[in-house]
Amino acid sequence: MNKITRRNFLENATLTCIGTGLTACLADKLVAAEEKVAFQISLAQWSLHRGFYGGTLNNLDFAKMASEDFGITAVEYVNRFFQDKVTDYKYLKEMKMRAEDHGVRSLLIMCGGEGTLGAAAKKERESAVANHLRWVEAAKFLNCHSIRVYADAEGSADEQRDRAAEGIRMLCEAAAKQEINILVENHGGLSSDGAWLASLIRQIDLPNCGTLPDFGNFNITPEQTYDRYRGIQELMPYAKGVSAKSYNFNDNGEETSIDYPRMMDIVLSSGYHGYVGIEYEGPVLSEYDGIRKSKALLERICAAASSQK
Protein backbone atom coordinates (compact mmCIF):
# COMPACT_ATOMS: atom_id res chain seq x y z
CA MET A 1 0.00 0.00 0.00
CA ASN A 2 1.32 3.44 -0.92
CA LYS A 3 2.02 5.78 1.96
CA ILE A 4 -0.65 8.48 2.21
CA THR A 5 1.04 11.85 2.36
CA ARG A 6 -0.56 15.24 2.79
CA ARG A 7 0.27 16.06 -0.81
CA ASN A 8 -1.19 12.97 -2.47
CA PHE A 9 -4.21 13.05 -0.14
CA LEU A 10 -5.10 16.53 -1.40
CA GLU A 11 -4.25 15.72 -5.01
CA ASN A 12 -6.49 12.66 -4.96
CA ALA A 13 -9.29 14.59 -3.28
CA THR A 14 -9.05 17.28 -5.93
CA LEU A 15 -9.03 14.81 -8.81
CA THR A 16 -12.11 13.12 -7.40
CA CYS A 17 -13.99 16.41 -7.60
CA ILE A 18 -12.95 17.54 -11.08
CA GLY A 19 -15.90 18.52 -13.24
CA THR A 20 -18.20 19.60 -10.41
CA GLY A 21 -17.27 23.28 -10.48
CA LEU A 22 -16.47 22.99 -6.78
CA THR A 23 -13.06 21.35 -6.97
CA ALA A 24 -10.94 23.89 -5.14
CA CYS A 25 -13.62 24.74 -2.60
CA LEU A 26 -13.90 21.10 -1.51
CA ALA A 27 -10.12 20.76 -1.44
CA ASP A 28 -9.98 23.85 0.81
CA LYS A 29 -12.41 22.20 3.21
CA LEU A 30 -10.26 19.05 3.20
CA VAL A 31 -7.18 21.14 4.02
CA ALA A 32 -9.02 22.71 6.95
CA ALA A 33 -10.29 19.34 8.15
CA GLU A 34 -6.89 17.68 7.83
CA GLU A 35 -5.07 20.45 9.67
CA LYS A 36 -7.88 20.73 12.21
CA VAL A 37 -8.30 24.46 11.79
CA ALA A 38 -11.56 26.33 11.37
CA PHE A 39 -10.48 28.13 8.18
CA GLN A 40 -7.48 29.12 6.06
CA ILE A 41 -6.11 32.65 5.59
CA SER A 42 -5.29 34.13 2.18
CA LEU A 43 -4.20 37.59 1.03
CA ALA A 44 -6.12 39.71 -1.46
CA GLN A 45 -3.87 41.79 -3.67
CA TRP A 46 -6.16 44.78 -3.16
CA SER A 47 -4.73 45.07 0.36
CA LEU A 48 -1.65 46.57 -1.32
CA HIS A 49 -3.47 48.66 -3.93
CA ARG A 50 -1.76 51.91 -2.95
CA GLY A 51 1.61 50.34 -3.58
CA PHE A 52 0.59 48.72 -6.87
CA TYR A 53 -1.17 51.82 -8.20
CA GLY A 54 1.72 53.98 -7.02
CA GLY A 55 4.24 51.90 -8.93
CA THR A 56 6.30 50.90 -5.89
CA LEU A 57 5.17 47.27 -6.08
CA ASN A 58 5.41 44.78 -8.94
CA ASN A 59 2.65 42.26 -9.63
CA LEU A 60 5.23 39.54 -10.29
CA ASP A 61 6.49 39.92 -6.72
CA PHE A 62 3.09 39.57 -5.06
CA ALA A 63 3.30 35.85 -4.26
CA LYS A 64 6.78 36.28 -2.83
CA MET A 65 5.61 39.19 -0.68
CA ALA A 66 2.64 37.22 0.63
CA SER A 67 4.91 34.37 1.71
CA GLU A 68 8.02 36.19 2.90
CA ASP A 69 6.56 39.41 4.33
CA PHE A 70 3.33 38.08 5.80
CA GLY A 71 3.66 34.29 6.10
CA ILE A 72 0.59 33.74 3.90
CA THR A 73 0.65 30.99 1.28
CA ALA A 74 -2.53 31.64 -0.72
CA VAL A 75 -3.33 34.74 -2.78
CA GLU A 76 -6.15 36.45 -4.64
CA TYR A 77 -5.10 38.55 -7.62
CA VAL A 78 -6.65 41.77 -8.94
CA ASN A 79 -6.85 41.96 -12.72
CA ARG A 80 -6.21 45.71 -12.82
CA PHE A 81 -2.63 45.13 -11.68
CA PHE A 82 -1.80 43.08 -14.77
CA GLN A 83 -4.61 44.26 -17.05
CA ASP A 84 -2.52 44.24 -20.23
CA LYS A 85 -1.09 40.77 -19.57
CA VAL A 86 -4.28 38.72 -19.66
CA THR A 87 -3.30 36.96 -22.91
CA ASP A 88 0.47 37.20 -22.40
CA TYR A 89 1.15 33.59 -21.46
CA LYS A 90 4.87 34.16 -21.09
CA TYR A 91 4.06 36.67 -18.35
CA LEU A 92 1.40 34.42 -16.81
CA LYS A 93 3.88 31.53 -16.81
CA GLU A 94 6.29 33.71 -14.85
CA MET A 95 3.52 34.55 -12.34
CA LYS A 96 2.71 30.87 -11.98
CA MET A 97 6.33 29.82 -11.54
CA ARG A 98 7.01 32.49 -8.92
CA ALA A 99 3.96 31.44 -6.92
CA GLU A 100 5.03 27.79 -7.09
CA ASP A 101 8.61 28.67 -6.17
CA HIS A 102 7.38 30.27 -2.94
CA GLY A 103 4.83 27.59 -2.13
CA VAL A 104 1.95 29.96 -2.73
CA ARG A 105 -1.43 28.84 -4.02
CA SER A 106 -3.26 31.09 -6.50
CA LEU A 107 -6.95 31.09 -5.57
CA LEU A 108 -8.78 33.54 -7.79
CA ILE A 109 -8.63 36.68 -9.91
CA MET A 110 -10.80 39.64 -8.93
CA CYS A 111 -12.02 41.13 -12.20
CA GLY A 112 -13.27 44.64 -12.86
CA GLY A 113 -13.41 47.03 -15.77
CA GLU A 114 -14.45 44.35 -18.26
CA GLY A 115 -17.96 45.54 -19.13
CA THR A 116 -21.45 45.32 -17.62
CA LEU A 117 -22.68 41.73 -17.42
CA GLY A 118 -26.22 43.00 -16.80
CA ALA A 119 -26.29 45.73 -19.45
CA ALA A 120 -29.66 46.55 -21.04
CA ALA A 121 -28.38 45.77 -24.52
CA LYS A 122 -27.73 42.10 -25.25
CA LYS A 123 -24.70 42.91 -27.40
CA GLU A 124 -23.13 44.73 -24.45
CA ARG A 125 -23.77 41.74 -22.19
CA GLU A 126 -22.19 39.42 -24.74
CA SER A 127 -19.18 41.72 -25.07
CA ALA A 128 -18.75 41.73 -21.28
CA VAL A 129 -18.91 37.95 -21.22
CA ALA A 130 -16.23 37.73 -23.92
CA ASN A 131 -14.00 40.14 -21.99
CA HIS A 132 -14.37 38.14 -18.79
CA LEU A 133 -13.64 34.86 -20.56
CA ARG A 134 -10.06 35.99 -21.16
CA TRP A 135 -9.67 36.10 -17.37
CA VAL A 136 -11.31 32.69 -17.01
CA GLU A 137 -8.60 31.29 -19.27
CA ALA A 138 -5.88 33.15 -17.33
CA ALA A 139 -7.31 31.82 -14.06
CA LYS A 140 -7.25 28.29 -15.42
CA PHE A 141 -3.63 28.69 -16.49
CA LEU A 142 -2.64 30.00 -13.04
CA ASN A 143 -4.44 27.09 -11.32
CA CYS A 144 -7.02 29.39 -9.70
CA HIS A 145 -10.45 28.00 -8.89
CA SER A 146 -12.46 31.16 -9.67
CA ILE A 147 -12.74 34.66 -10.98
CA ARG A 148 -14.67 37.36 -9.13
CA VAL A 149 -17.18 39.47 -11.07
CA TYR A 150 -19.66 42.27 -10.42
CA ALA A 151 -23.42 42.05 -10.84
CA ASP A 152 -23.62 45.53 -12.38
CA ALA A 153 -26.84 45.90 -14.35
CA GLU A 154 -29.31 48.42 -15.76
CA GLY A 155 -33.04 48.87 -15.23
CA SER A 156 -35.46 48.23 -12.38
CA ALA A 157 -34.55 45.78 -9.61
CA ASP A 158 -36.27 42.92 -11.44
CA GLU A 159 -34.78 43.92 -14.80
CA GLN A 160 -31.33 44.13 -13.27
CA ARG A 161 -31.71 40.66 -11.78
CA ASP A 162 -32.88 39.18 -15.09
CA ARG A 163 -30.18 40.88 -17.15
CA ALA A 164 -27.38 40.11 -14.70
CA ALA A 165 -28.60 36.52 -14.48
CA GLU A 166 -28.47 36.17 -18.26
CA GLY A 167 -25.00 37.62 -18.58
CA ILE A 168 -23.51 35.77 -15.63
CA ARG A 169 -25.17 32.50 -16.67
CA MET A 170 -23.55 32.77 -20.12
CA LEU A 171 -20.21 33.34 -18.45
CA CYS A 172 -20.70 30.45 -16.02
CA GLU A 173 -21.63 28.03 -18.79
CA ALA A 174 -18.47 28.91 -20.71
CA ALA A 175 -16.31 28.88 -17.56
CA ALA A 176 -17.60 25.44 -16.58
CA LYS A 177 -15.73 24.02 -19.57
CA GLN A 178 -12.54 25.30 -17.93
CA GLU A 179 -13.64 24.08 -14.46
CA ILE A 180 -13.62 27.66 -13.19
CA ASN A 181 -16.16 29.16 -10.79
CA ILE A 182 -17.73 32.59 -11.22
CA LEU A 183 -18.06 34.39 -7.89
CA VAL A 184 -20.28 37.44 -7.54
CA GLU A 185 -19.25 39.96 -4.89
CA ASN A 186 -21.47 42.44 -3.09
CA HIS A 187 -19.99 45.61 -4.52
CA GLY A 188 -22.41 48.52 -4.48
CA GLY A 189 -25.84 49.12 -5.95
CA LEU A 190 -28.32 46.27 -5.70
CA SER A 191 -25.48 43.77 -5.30
CA SER A 192 -25.01 45.20 -1.78
CA ASP A 193 -28.56 44.12 -0.95
CA GLY A 194 -27.90 40.63 0.39
CA ALA A 195 -31.40 39.34 -0.34
CA TRP A 196 -31.27 40.62 -3.93
CA LEU A 197 -27.85 39.11 -4.62
CA ALA A 198 -28.85 35.77 -3.08
CA SER A 199 -31.93 35.73 -5.31
CA LEU A 200 -29.70 36.39 -8.32
CA ILE A 201 -27.54 33.36 -7.51
CA ARG A 202 -30.65 31.20 -7.09
CA GLN A 203 -31.98 32.42 -10.44
CA ILE A 204 -28.72 31.52 -12.21
CA ASP A 205 -28.79 28.13 -10.47
CA LEU A 206 -25.51 26.69 -11.73
CA PRO A 207 -23.00 24.74 -9.61
CA ASN A 208 -20.05 26.91 -10.62
CA CYS A 209 -21.83 30.16 -9.73
CA GLY A 210 -21.43 31.43 -6.17
CA THR A 211 -20.71 34.43 -4.01
CA LEU A 212 -17.62 36.11 -2.60
CA PRO A 213 -19.16 37.79 0.46
CA ASP A 214 -17.27 40.96 1.41
CA PHE A 215 -17.55 42.19 5.00
CA GLY A 216 -17.42 45.84 3.98
CA ASN A 217 -19.32 46.41 0.73
CA PHE A 218 -22.88 47.07 1.84
CA ASN A 219 -23.51 50.60 0.60
CA ILE A 220 -26.44 50.35 -1.82
CA THR A 221 -26.36 54.13 -2.33
CA PRO A 222 -24.43 56.89 -0.51
CA GLU A 223 -27.51 57.25 1.72
CA GLN A 224 -28.61 53.61 2.01
CA THR A 225 -26.60 50.93 3.81
CA TYR A 226 -27.57 47.29 4.12
CA ASP A 227 -27.02 45.50 7.43
CA ARG A 228 -23.66 43.79 6.93
CA TYR A 229 -24.33 40.89 9.30
CA ARG A 230 -27.67 40.09 7.69
CA GLY A 231 -26.06 40.39 4.27
CA ILE A 232 -23.23 38.00 5.06
CA GLN A 233 -25.71 35.51 6.49
CA GLU A 234 -27.76 35.69 3.29
CA LEU A 235 -24.72 35.25 1.03
CA MET A 236 -22.81 32.53 2.89
CA PRO A 237 -24.94 29.61 1.64
CA TYR A 238 -23.54 30.30 -1.84
CA ALA A 239 -19.99 31.30 -0.84
CA LYS A 240 -16.93 29.79 -2.49
CA GLY A 241 -14.65 32.35 -0.87
CA VAL A 242 -14.82 35.11 1.76
CA SER A 243 -13.36 38.61 1.60
CA ALA A 244 -12.48 39.85 5.09
CA LYS A 245 -12.47 43.61 4.61
CA SER A 246 -10.78 45.64 7.34
CA TYR A 247 -10.25 49.36 7.90
CA ASN A 248 -8.81 50.19 11.31
CA PHE A 249 -7.94 48.63 14.66
CA ASN A 250 -8.02 49.64 18.31
CA ASP A 251 -5.26 49.07 20.86
CA ASN A 252 -6.57 45.55 21.50
CA GLY A 253 -6.22 44.61 17.84
CA GLU A 254 -9.97 44.59 17.22
CA GLU A 255 -11.44 45.94 13.99
CA THR A 256 -13.24 49.16 14.93
CA SER A 257 -16.09 49.13 12.40
CA ILE A 258 -16.81 45.40 12.01
CA ASP A 259 -17.51 42.93 14.81
CA TYR A 260 -15.12 40.26 13.54
CA PRO A 261 -15.98 37.52 16.07
CA ARG A 262 -19.66 37.94 15.19
CA MET A 263 -18.92 38.01 11.48
CA MET A 264 -16.70 34.95 11.55
CA ASP A 265 -19.27 33.10 13.65
CA ILE A 266 -21.76 33.68 10.81
CA VAL A 267 -19.18 32.44 8.28
CA LEU A 268 -18.31 29.28 10.19
CA SER A 269 -21.89 28.53 11.23
CA SER A 270 -22.76 28.32 7.53
CA GLY A 271 -20.42 25.33 7.24
CA TYR A 272 -17.71 27.25 5.39
CA HIS A 273 -14.15 26.26 6.30
CA GLY A 274 -12.22 27.40 3.24
CA TYR A 275 -10.04 30.45 2.69
CA VAL A 276 -10.79 33.83 4.24
CA GLY A 277 -9.00 36.54 2.29
CA ILE A 278 -7.49 39.55 4.04
CA GLU A 279 -8.54 42.72 2.23
CA TYR A 280 -7.21 45.67 4.17
CA GLU A 281 -8.50 49.00 2.89
CA GLY A 282 -7.88 51.44 5.73
CA PRO A 283 -6.47 54.97 5.38
CA VAL A 284 -4.71 55.18 8.77
CA LEU A 285 -2.26 52.29 9.02
CA SER A 286 0.25 51.46 6.32
CA GLU A 287 -0.82 48.64 4.04
CA TYR A 288 1.81 46.37 5.60
CA ASP A 289 0.66 47.13 9.16
CA GLY A 290 -3.00 46.79 8.19
CA ILE A 291 -2.38 43.35 6.70
CA ARG A 292 -0.48 42.23 9.78
CA LYS A 293 -3.20 43.49 12.13
CA SER A 294 -5.85 41.75 10.02
CA LYS A 295 -3.92 38.50 10.02
CA ALA A 296 -3.35 38.59 13.78
CA LEU A 297 -7.07 39.14 14.38
CA LEU A 298 -8.09 36.31 12.08
CA GLU A 299 -5.50 34.00 13.64
CA ARG A 300 -6.90 34.66 17.13
CA ILE A 301 -10.43 33.92 15.92
CA CYS A 302 -9.27 30.82 14.07
CA ALA A 303 -7.41 29.49 17.12
CA ALA A 304 -10.46 29.98 19.32
CA ALA A 305 -12.80 28.37 16.79
CA SER A 306 -10.42 25.49 16.07
CA SER A 307 -10.12 24.65 19.76
CA GLN A 308 -13.86 24.02 19.82
CA LYS A 309 -13.85 21.60 16.84
Side-chain angles (χ1 to χ4, degrees), residues 12-83:
N12 290 339
T14 299
L15 288 171
T16 301
C17 302
I18 285 178
T20 67
L22 302 175
T23 301
C25 298
L26 179 55
D28 293 345
K29 291 182 179 181
L30 291 172
V31 170
E34 181 197 2
E35 297 183 358
K36 297 182 180 179
V37 296
F39 58 90
Q40 305 288 310
I41 297 174
S42 55
L43 179 62
Q45 194 171 18
W46 186 254
S47 297
L48 295 158
H49 67 275
R50 296 200 296 265
F52 283 108
Y53 276 135
T56 59
L57 299 180
N58 185 333
N59 176 65
L60 288 174
D61 294 328
F62 176 49
K64 177 183 178 180
M65 292 173 60
S67 176
E68 295 187 355
D69 294 342
F70 305 110
I72 297 174
T73 56
V75 295
E76 303 164 15
Y77 300 106
V78 174
N79 74 328
R80 295 178 188 271
F81 301 139
F82 57 113
Q83 190 91 41

